[in-house]
Protein backbone atom coordinates (compact mmCIF):
# COMPACT_ATOMS: atom_id res chain seq x y z
CA UNK A 1 0.00 0.00 0.00
CA UNK A 2 2.80 2.40 0.87
CA UNK A 3 5.64 1.81 -1.58
CA UNK A 4 7.65 -1.39 -1.88
CA UNK A 5 8.42 -1.24 1.86
CA UNK A 6 10.24 -4.09 3.52
CA UNK A 7 7.83 -6.68 5.02
CA UNK A 8 8.83 -5.58 8.53
CA UNK A 9 6.58 -4.67 11.44
CA UNK A 10 5.67 -1.34 9.90
CA UNK A 11 3.54 -3.20 7.35
CA UNK A 12 1.53 -4.59 10.32
CA UNK A 13 1.15 -1.07 11.73
CA UNK A 14 -0.65 -0.06 8.61
CA UNK A 15 -2.95 -3.06 8.31
CA UNK A 16 -4.87 -2.05 11.41
CA UNK A 17 -8.51 -1.59 10.53
CA UNK A 18 -9.19 1.33 8.20
CA UNK A 19 -6.64 3.55 9.92
CA UNK A 20 -4.21 4.98 7.34
CA UNK A 21 -1.41 6.89 9.08
CA UNK A 22 -0.50 9.97 7.11
CA UNK A 23 -3.75 10.11 5.18
CA UNK A 24 -5.56 11.06 8.38
CA UNK A 25 -2.82 13.56 9.20
CA UNK A 26 -3.54 15.43 5.97
CA UNK A 27 -7.29 15.37 6.65
CA UNK A 28 -6.73 16.85 10.09
CA UNK A 29 -4.56 19.63 8.66
CA UNK A 30 -7.40 20.43 6.27
CA UNK A 31 -9.86 20.54 9.17
CA UNK A 32 -7.60 22.95 11.06
CA UNK A 33 -7.40 25.32 8.09
CA UNK A 34 -10.57 27.16 9.11
CA UNK A 35 -12.18 28.68 12.25
CA UNK A 36 -12.16 28.02 15.12
CA UNK A 37 -8.58 26.96 14.36
CA UNK A 38 -8.01 30.09 12.27
CA UNK A 39 -8.44 33.67 13.49
CA UNK A 40 -10.24 34.61 10.28
CA UNK A 41 -12.79 33.24 7.81
CA UNK A 42 -11.54 32.51 4.30
CA UNK A 43 -7.87 32.25 5.23
CA UNK A 44 -5.61 30.44 7.67
CA UNK A 45 -4.01 32.66 10.28
CA UNK A 46 -3.19 30.98 13.59
CA UNK A 47 -0.85 33.14 15.62
CA UNK A 48 0.75 32.33 18.95
CA UNK A 49 -1.50 32.61 22.04
CA UNK A 50 -4.67 33.49 20.16
CA UNK A 51 -8.05 31.80 20.57
CA UNK A 52 -7.35 29.89 17.34
CA UNK A 53 -4.16 28.55 18.93
CA UNK A 54 -6.09 27.59 22.06
CA UNK A 55 -8.78 25.78 20.03
CA UNK A 56 -6.10 23.90 18.12
CA UNK A 57 -4.42 22.76 21.34
CA UNK A 58 -7.74 21.57 22.78
CA UNK A 59 -8.43 19.39 19.74
CA UNK A 60 -4.84 18.20 19.45
CA UNK A 61 -4.87 17.17 23.12
CA UNK A 62 -8.01 15.12 22.45
CA UNK A 63 -6.40 13.45 19.43
CA UNK A 64 -3.20 12.78 21.37
CA UNK A 65 -5.13 11.09 24.17
CA UNK A 66 -7.22 9.16 21.65
CA UNK A 67 -3.93 7.93 20.15
CA UNK A 68 -2.78 6.56 23.51
CA UNK A 69 -0.77 9.52 24.83
CA UNK A 70 -1.08 11.70 27.89
CA UNK A 71 -1.18 15.38 26.86
CA UNK A 72 0.01 18.48 28.73
CA UNK A 73 0.58 22.15 28.05
CA UNK A 74 4.06 23.28 29.08
CA UNK A 75 5.01 26.68 30.50
CA UNK A 76 5.83 28.08 27.05
CA UNK A 77 2.46 27.44 25.37
CA UNK A 78 3.50 24.18 23.71
CA UNK A 79 1.39 21.03 23.76
CA UNK A 80 3.25 17.81 24.51
CA UNK A 81 1.82 14.30 24.15
CA UNK A 82 3.68 11.35 25.65
CA UNK A 83 3.45 7.66 24.67
CA UNK A 84 5.31 5.69 27.31
CA UNK A 85 7.93 3.12 26.38
CA UNK A 86 8.30 -0.35 27.86
CA UNK A 87 9.61 1.27 31.07
CA UNK A 88 7.94 4.31 32.62
CA UNK A 89 9.91 7.55 32.41
CA UNK A 90 12.27 6.34 29.68
CA UNK A 91 14.06 9.01 27.60
CA UNK A 92 11.92 10.14 24.69
CA UNK A 93 12.14 10.47 20.95
CA UNK A 94 10.55 13.87 20.36
CA UNK A 95 8.49 14.17 17.16
CA UNK A 96 6.66 17.26 16.00
CA UNK A 97 6.69 20.73 14.52
CA UNK A 98 4.91 24.05 14.96
CA UNK A 99 1.16 24.66 15.03
CA UNK A 100 1.22 28.41 14.39
CA UNK A 101 0.96 29.79 10.87
CA UNK A 102 1.90 32.84 8.88
CA UNK A 103 -0.95 35.16 7.89
CA UNK A 104 -2.94 33.64 4.99
CA UNK A 105 -0.63 30.66 5.12
CA UNK A 106 -0.94 27.07 4.02
CA UNK A 107 -2.54 24.28 6.03
CA UNK A 108 0.47 21.95 6.12
CA UNK A 109 3.44 24.17 7.11
CA UNK A 110 4.18 22.91 10.63
CA UNK A 111 0.79 21.31 11.30
CA UNK A 112 1.52 18.29 9.10
CA UNK A 113 4.52 17.38 11.27
CA UNK A 114 2.36 17.46 14.38
CA UNK A 115 -0.46 15.40 12.83
CA UNK A 116 2.01 12.85 11.42
CA UNK A 117 3.47 12.46 14.91
CA UNK A 118 0.03 11.68 16.33
CA UNK A 119 -0.71 9.21 13.52
CA UNK A 120 2.62 7.44 14.01
CA UNK A 121 2.04 7.05 17.75
CA UNK A 122 -1.47 5.74 17.15
CA UNK A 123 -0.07 3.18 14.69
CA UNK A 124 2.36 2.01 17.40
CA UNK A 125 -0.39 1.92 20.03
CA UNK A 126 -2.81 0.03 17.82
CA UNK A 127 -0.06 -2.51 17.08
CA UNK A 128 0.41 -2.84 20.85
CA UNK A 129 4.05 -1.83 20.57
CA UNK A 130 6.05 -0.56 23.57
CA UNK A 131 9.55 0.61 22.65
CA UNK A 132 12.76 0.89 24.71
CA UNK A 133 12.06 4.64 24.67
CA UNK A 134 9.04 6.91 24.99
CA UNK A 135 7.72 8.89 22.04
CA UNK A 136 6.60 12.47 22.63
CA UNK A 137 4.70 14.54 20.11
CA UNK A 138 5.06 18.30 20.40
CA UNK A 139 3.13 21.18 18.85
CA UNK A 140 5.36 24.26 19.18
CA UNK A 141 3.25 27.38 19.74
CA UNK A 142 5.43 29.95 18.00
CA UNK A 143 7.85 29.15 15.20
CA UNK A 144 6.83 31.69 12.58
CA UNK A 145 7.11 34.82 14.67
CA UNK A 146 3.88 35.89 12.97
CA UNK A 147 2.61 37.77 16.04
CA UNK A 148 5.76 38.87 17.90
CA UNK A 149 9.01 40.09 16.26
CA UNK A 150 11.22 37.14 17.20
CA UNK A 151 10.35 33.59 16.14
CA UNK A 152 11.12 30.15 17.60
CA UNK A 153 10.29 31.33 21.12
CA UNK A 154 8.69 28.00 22.05
CA UNK A 155 11.40 25.65 20.78
CA UNK A 156 13.99 27.92 22.43
CA UNK A 157 12.11 27.50 25.71
CA UNK A 158 12.13 23.70 25.31
CA UNK A 159 15.84 23.76 24.40
CA UNK A 160 16.60 25.96 27.41
CA UNK A 161 17.99 28.78 25.27
CA UNK A 162 15.17 31.34 25.47
CA UNK A 163 15.97 34.83 26.79
CA UNK A 164 13.25 35.76 29.32
CA UNK A 165 13.42 39.34 28.05
CA UNK A 166 11.29 38.14 25.12
CA UNK A 167 8.38 38.79 27.47
CA UNK A 168 8.81 42.51 26.72
CA UNK A 169 8.23 42.01 22.96
CA UNK A 170 4.97 43.54 21.77
CA UNK A 171 2.70 42.55 18.89
CA UNK A 172 1.14 44.87 16.31
CA UNK A 173 -1.54 45.89 18.83
CA UNK A 174 1.03 46.74 21.50
CA UNK A 175 0.22 43.65 23.55
CA UNK A 176 3.35 42.34 25.27
CA UNK A 177 4.25 38.66 25.25
CA UNK A 178 3.85 38.73 29.04
CA UNK A 179 0.29 40.04 28.69
CA UNK A 180 -0.46 37.43 26.00
CA UNK A 181 0.87 34.70 28.32
CA UNK A 182 -1.35 35.85 31.16
CA UNK A 183 -4.37 35.95 28.83
CA UNK A 184 -3.54 32.33 27.84
CA UNK A 185 -3.47 31.27 31.52
CA UNK A 186 0.33 30.98 31.40
CA UNK A 187 2.67 32.48 34.00
CA UNK A 188 5.19 34.71 32.16
CA UNK A 189 7.72 34.19 34.95
CA UNK A 190 7.77 30.42 34.39
CA UNK A 191 8.72 30.41 30.68
CA UNK A 192 12.13 28.89 31.38
CA UNK A 193 10.53 25.95 33.21
CA UNK A 194 9.55 24.58 29.80
CA UNK A 195 13.19 23.59 29.29
CA UNK A 196 13.72 19.83 29.07
CA UNK A 197 16.36 18.34 31.38
CA UNK A 198 19.42 16.78 29.72
CA UNK A 199 18.72 13.14 28.86
CA UNK A 200 14.92 13.49 28.94
CA UNK A 201 14.90 13.72 25.13
CA UNK A 202 17.51 11.79 23.14
CA UNK A 203 16.50 12.74 19.58
CA UNK A 204 14.13 15.00 17.64
CA UNK A 205 12.47 14.09 14.34
CA UNK A 206 10.66 16.84 12.44
CA UNK A 207 8.59 16.00 9.38
CA UNK A 208 7.81 19.11 7.31
CA UNK A 209 6.79 20.06 3.79
CA UNK A 210 9.82 20.99 1.70
CA UNK A 211 8.44 24.45 0.91
CA UNK A 212 10.59 24.30 -2.21
CA UNK A 213 10.49 22.73 -5.70
CA UNK A 214 13.30 20.13 -5.59
CA UNK A 215 11.43 16.95 -4.65
CA UNK A 216 8.61 17.64 -7.08
CA UNK A 217 11.09 18.42 -9.88
CA UNK A 218 12.77 15.04 -9.30
CA UNK A 219 9.52 13.11 -8.91
CA UNK A 220 10.25 12.25 -5.28
CA UNK A 221 7.80 12.16 -2.39
CA UNK A 222 10.31 12.41 0.46
CA UNK A 223 13.66 14.02 1.17
CA UNK A 224 16.18 13.86 4.02
CA UNK A 225 17.45 17.20 5.29
CA UNK A 226 21.22 17.60 5.68
CA UNK A 227 21.29 21.07 7.27
CA UNK A 228 19.11 24.14 7.88
CA UNK A 229 20.30 27.49 6.55
CA UNK A 230 21.51 30.29 8.82
CA UNK A 231 19.11 33.23 8.95
CA UNK A 232 19.09 36.78 10.26
CA UNK A 233 16.03 38.98 10.76
CA UNK A 234 16.66 42.75 10.80
CA UNK A 235 14.52 45.89 10.94
CA UNK A 236 15.64 48.86 8.77
CA UNK A 237 14.43 52.43 9.42
CA UNK A 238 15.02 55.49 7.25
CA UNK A 239 13.99 58.75 8.94
CA UNK A 240 13.43 62.07 7.12
CA UNK A 241 10.97 64.94 7.49
CA UNK A 242 7.23 64.45 7.16
CA UNK A 243 5.66 67.04 4.91
CA UNK A 244 2.76 68.14 2.76
CA UNK A 245 2.58 66.05 -0.43
CA UNK A 246 1.26 68.99 -2.43
CA UNK A 247 3.32 71.97 -1.34
CA UNK A 248 6.82 70.54 -0.85
CA UNK A 249 8.96 70.76 -4.00
CA UNK A 250 10.77 67.54 -4.88
CA UNK A 251 14.24 69.02 -4.38
CA UNK A 252 13.43 70.23 -0.88
CA UNK A 253 12.20 66.91 0.50
CA UNK A 254 13.79 64.62 3.07
CA UNK A 255 11.74 61.67 1.90
CA UNK A 256 12.68 58.21 3.29
CA UNK A 257 10.46 56.46 0.74
CA UNK A 258 12.76 56.53 -2.30
CA UNK A 259 15.73 55.84 -0.01
CA UNK A 260 14.09 52.63 1.16
CA UNK A 261 13.34 51.71 -2.44
CA UNK A 262 17.02 52.16 -3.37
CA UNK A 263 18.12 50.07 -0.37
CA UNK A 264 15.67 47.25 -1.13
CA UNK A 265 16.99 47.09 -4.68
CA UNK A 266 20.51 46.94 -3.21
CA UNK A 267 19.50 43.89 -1.14
CA UNK A 268 18.15 42.19 -4.28
CA UNK A 269 21.36 42.96 -6.18
CA UNK A 270 23.66 41.79 -3.35
CA UNK A 271 21.79 38.50 -2.86
CA UNK A 272 21.13 37.66 -6.50
CA UNK A 273 23.69 35.26 -7.83
CA UNK A 274 25.20 34.78 -4.35
CA UNK A 275 26.64 31.41 -3.31
CA UNK A 276 25.51 28.93 -0.60
CA UNK A 277 21.85 29.49 -1.42
CA UNK A 278 22.03 33.17 -0.37
CA UNK A 279 18.60 34.84 -0.35
CA UNK A 280 17.29 38.20 0.90
CA UNK A 281 13.67 39.15 1.44
CA UNK A 282 11.75 42.29 2.40
CA UNK A 283 8.41 41.03 3.64
CA UNK A 284 6.98 44.05 5.44
CA UNK A 285 7.27 47.76 4.52
CA UNK A 286 5.62 50.57 6.51
CA UNK A 287 5.56 54.29 5.65
CA UNK A 288 4.77 56.47 8.63
CA UNK A 289 2.41 58.11 9.36
CA UNK A 290 0.96 56.31 6.33
CA UNK A 291 -1.36 58.83 4.64
CA UNK A 292 -1.92 59.54 0.94
CA UNK A 293 -1.04 63.21 1.21
CA UNK A 294 1.84 63.08 3.68
CA UNK A 295 5.49 62.70 2.73
CA UNK A 296 6.49 59.98 5.21
CA UNK A 297 8.59 61.01 8.17
CA UNK A 298 9.96 57.49 8.35
CA UNK A 299 9.90 54.21 6.46
CA UNK A 300 10.53 50.92 8.25
CA UNK A 301 10.98 47.51 6.64
CA UNK A 302 11.94 43.96 7.54
CA UNK A 303 14.96 42.18 6.09
CA UNK A 304 15.35 38.38 6.14
CA UNK A 305 18.76 37.19 4.93
CA UNK A 306 19.75 33.51 4.74
CA UNK A 307 22.47 31.22 3.46
CA UNK A 308 23.62 27.66 4.14
CA UNK A 309 26.91 29.18 5.36
CA UNK A 310 26.67 31.85 8.08
CA UNK A 311 29.73 33.75 6.77
CA UNK A 312 28.04 34.17 3.38
CA UNK A 313 24.88 35.45 5.07
CA UNK A 314 26.87 37.85 7.28
CA UNK A 315 28.88 39.26 4.37
CA UNK A 316 25.62 40.07 2.58
CA UNK A 317 24.17 41.75 5.68
CA UNK A 318 27.35 43.80 6.06
CA UNK A 319 27.28 44.89 2.43
CA UNK A 320 23.63 45.92 2.44
CA UNK A 321 24.02 47.73 5.78
CA UNK A 322 26.88 49.79 4.32
CA UNK A 323 24.71 50.69 1.32
CA UNK A 324 21.81 51.68 3.60
CA UNK A 325 24.01 54.14 5.48
CA UNK A 326 25.55 55.49 2.23
CA UNK A 327 22.07 56.08 0.79
CA UNK A 328 20.98 57.87 3.96
CA UNK A 329 24.10 60.08 3.96
CA UNK A 330 23.61 60.99 0.31
CA UNK A 331 19.99 61.93 0.91
CA UNK A 332 20.49 63.70 4.25
CA UNK A 333 18.44 61.11 6.17
CA UNK A 334 18.92 59.08 9.34
CA UNK A 335 19.14 55.29 8.99
CA UNK A 336 19.25 52.42 11.46
CA UNK A 337 19.56 48.66 11.01
CA UNK A 338 18.51 46.61 14.07
CA UNK A 339 19.22 42.90 14.40
CA UNK A 340 16.04 41.14 15.60
CA UNK A 341 17.14 37.54 15.38
CA UNK A 342 20.21 35.51 14.50
CA UNK A 343 19.76 31.77 13.85
CA UNK A 344 22.93 29.82 13.16
CA UNK A 345 23.08 27.20 10.42
CA UNK A 346 22.08 23.86 11.90
CA UNK A 347 23.42 20.56 10.55
CA UNK A 348 21.18 17.54 11.18
CA UNK A 349 22.75 14.69 13.14
CA UNK A 350 24.70 12.43 10.75
CA UNK A 351 23.76 9.21 12.57
CA UNK A 352 20.05 9.98 12.71
CA UNK A 353 20.14 11.22 9.12
CA UNK A 354 21.61 7.91 7.99
CA UNK A 355 18.83 6.03 9.82
CA UNK A 356 16.24 8.32 8.24
CA UNK A 357 17.75 7.73 4.82
CA UNK A 358 17.41 3.95 5.36
CA UNK A 359 13.85 4.50 6.54
CA UNK A 360 12.98 6.43 3.37
CA UNK A 361 14.62 3.69 1.28
CA UNK A 362 12.47 1.12 3.10
CA UNK A 363 9.37 2.84 1.70
CA UNK A 364 10.69 1.93 -1.72
CA UNK A 365 11.92 5.41 -2.68
CA UNK A 366 15.50 6.38 -3.46
CA UNK A 367 16.57 8.65 -0.57
CA UNK A 368 17.39 12.24 -1.54
CA UNK A 369 19.47 14.47 0.73
CA UNK A 370 18.95 18.21 0.50
CA UNK A 371 19.48 21.38 2.60
CA UNK A 372 16.63 23.45 4.01
CA UNK A 373 16.46 27.15 3.12
CA UNK A 374 13.45 27.42 5.42
CA UNK A 375 13.98 27.71 9.15
CA UNK A 376 12.52 25.06 11.43
CA UNK A 377 12.21 24.30 15.13
CA UNK A 378 14.78 21.54 14.53
CA UNK A 379 17.50 24.19 14.21
CA UNK A 380 16.78 25.34 17.75
CA UNK A 381 16.12 21.89 19.26
CA UNK A 382 19.60 20.95 17.98
CA UNK A 383 20.83 22.71 21.15
CA UNK A 384 18.94 20.09 23.20
CA UNK A 385 19.52 16.85 21.29
CA UNK A 386 20.48 15.39 17.89
CA UNK A 387 17.92 16.14 15.18
CA UNK A 388 16.71 14.69 11.90
CA UNK A 389 14.30 16.19 9.38
CA UNK A 390 12.08 14.50 6.83
CA UNK A 391 10.87 16.60 3.90
CA UNK A 392 7.59 15.94 2.13
CA UNK A 393 6.95 17.07 -1.44
CA UNK A 394 4.56 20.00 -1.79
CA UNK A 395 2.89 21.05 -5.02
CA UNK A 396 4.93 23.59 -6.98
CA UNK A 397 7.12 24.05 -3.91
CA UNK A 398 4.52 26.62 -2.85
CA UNK A 399 4.30 27.55 0.84
CA UNK A 400 3.35 30.50 3.05
CA UNK A 401 0.44 30.64 0.63
CA UNK A 402 -3.09 29.17 0.79
CA UNK A 403 -2.23 27.21 -2.39
CA UNK A 404 0.12 24.99 -0.34
CA UNK A 405 -0.79 21.38 -1.22
CA UNK A 406 0.32 17.80 -0.49
CA UNK A 407 -1.06 14.41 -1.58
CA UNK A 408 -2.49 11.68 0.65
CA UNK A 409 -0.05 9.17 -0.88
CA UNK A 410 2.98 11.32 0.02
CA UNK A 411 1.67 11.83 3.56
CA UNK A 412 1.18 8.08 3.91
CA UNK A 413 4.74 7.48 2.68
CA UNK A 414 5.97 10.02 5.23
CA UNK A 415 4.18 8.18 8.06
CA UNK A 416 5.65 4.91 6.76
CA UNK A 417 9.16 6.35 6.72
CA UNK A 418 8.70 7.71 10.26
CA UNK A 419 7.62 4.28 11.48
CA UNK A 420 10.58 2.68 9.73
CA UNK A 421 12.79 5.29 11.43
CA UNK A 422 11.36 4.29 14.79
CA UNK A 423 12.00 0.63 13.94
CA UNK A 424 15.63 1.56 13.17
CA UNK A 425 15.96 3.41 16.47
CA UNK A 426 14.46 0.44 18.32
CA UNK A 427 16.94 -1.92 16.68
CA UNK A 428 19.78 0.47 17.58
CA UNK A 429 18.62 0.74 21.21
CA UNK A 430 18.23 -3.04 21.54
CA UNK A 431 21.61 -3.81 19.85
O1 LIG B 1 10.76 31.55 7.93
C1 LIG B 1 10.90 30.33 7.86
O2 LIG B 1 11.80 29.84 7.23
C2 LIG B 1 9.93 29.44 8.55
O3 LIG B 1 8.84 29.21 7.69
N1 LIG B 1 9.46 30.02 9.77
MN1 LIG C 1 6.58 28.70 7.80
MN1 LIG D 1 7.31 25.66 9.09
Amino acid sequence: MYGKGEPGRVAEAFEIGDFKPGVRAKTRCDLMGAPPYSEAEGMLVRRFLTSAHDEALKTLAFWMEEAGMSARRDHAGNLVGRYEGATLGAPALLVGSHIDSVRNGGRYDGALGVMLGIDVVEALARAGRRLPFAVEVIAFGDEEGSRFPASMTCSRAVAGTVDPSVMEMTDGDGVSLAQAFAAFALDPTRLEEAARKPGEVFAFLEAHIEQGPVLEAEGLALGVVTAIAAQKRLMVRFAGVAGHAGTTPMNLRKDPGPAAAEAILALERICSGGKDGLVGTVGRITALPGAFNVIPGAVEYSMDVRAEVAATRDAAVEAVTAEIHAIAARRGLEASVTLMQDLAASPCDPGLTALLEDAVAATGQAPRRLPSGAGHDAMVIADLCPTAMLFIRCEGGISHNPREAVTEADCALAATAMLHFIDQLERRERA
Side-chain angles (χ1 to χ4, degrees), residues 377-402:
D377 290 301
M379 70 200 299
V380 170
I381 295 297
D383 286 332
L384 175 72
C385 64
T387 65
M389 271 205 86
L390 177 69
F391 265 175
I392 300 145
R393 168 171 46 188
C394 60
E395 199 174 297
I398 293 169
S399 182
H400 285 188
N401 178 320

Side-chain angles (χ1 to χ4, degrees), residues 245-334:
T247 59
T248 314
M250 294 304 283
N251 66 329
L252 296 180
R253 295 181 177 206
K254 295 282 185 198
D255 184 351
E262 258 194 275
I264 293 168
L265 285 171
L267 176 69
E268 181 190 45
R269 174 172 31 84
I270 288 164
C271 293
S272 299
K275 58 180 181 168
D276 304 322
L278 176 65
V279 287
T281 308
V282 173
R284 189 187 304 160
I285 306 173
T286 312
L288 301 168
F292 260 94
N293 59 354
V294 177
I295 302 165
V299 169
E300 295 175 346
Y301 64 85
S302 65
M303 241 181 359
D304 174 317
V305 183
R306 311 186 189 198
E308 290 152 35
V309 176
T312 306
R313 172 203 64 179
D314 295 344
V317 169
E318 211 175 300
V320 74
T321 300
E323 294 228 17
I324 287 167
H325 290 301
I327 291 164
R330 197 166 56 248
R331 289 172 173 266
L333 302 171
E334 296 295 317

Side-chain angles (χ1 to χ4, degrees), residues 109 143-144 211 231 233 306 374-375 400:
D109 175 4
E143 185 270 351
E144 297 287 6
Q211 299 178 300
Q231 58 171 278
R233 287 187 177 196
R306 311 186 189 198
H400 285 188

Side-chain angles (χ1 to χ4, degrees), residues 114-141:
V114 178
M115 305 305 176
L116 280 167
I118 296 172
D119 274 13
V120 160
V121 166
E122 184 158 337
L124 295 170
R126 287 191 187 206
R129 287 178 60 191
R130 289 289 171 185
L131 303 160
F133 46 84
V135 180
E136 292 194 11
V137 177
I138 189 162
F140 292 109

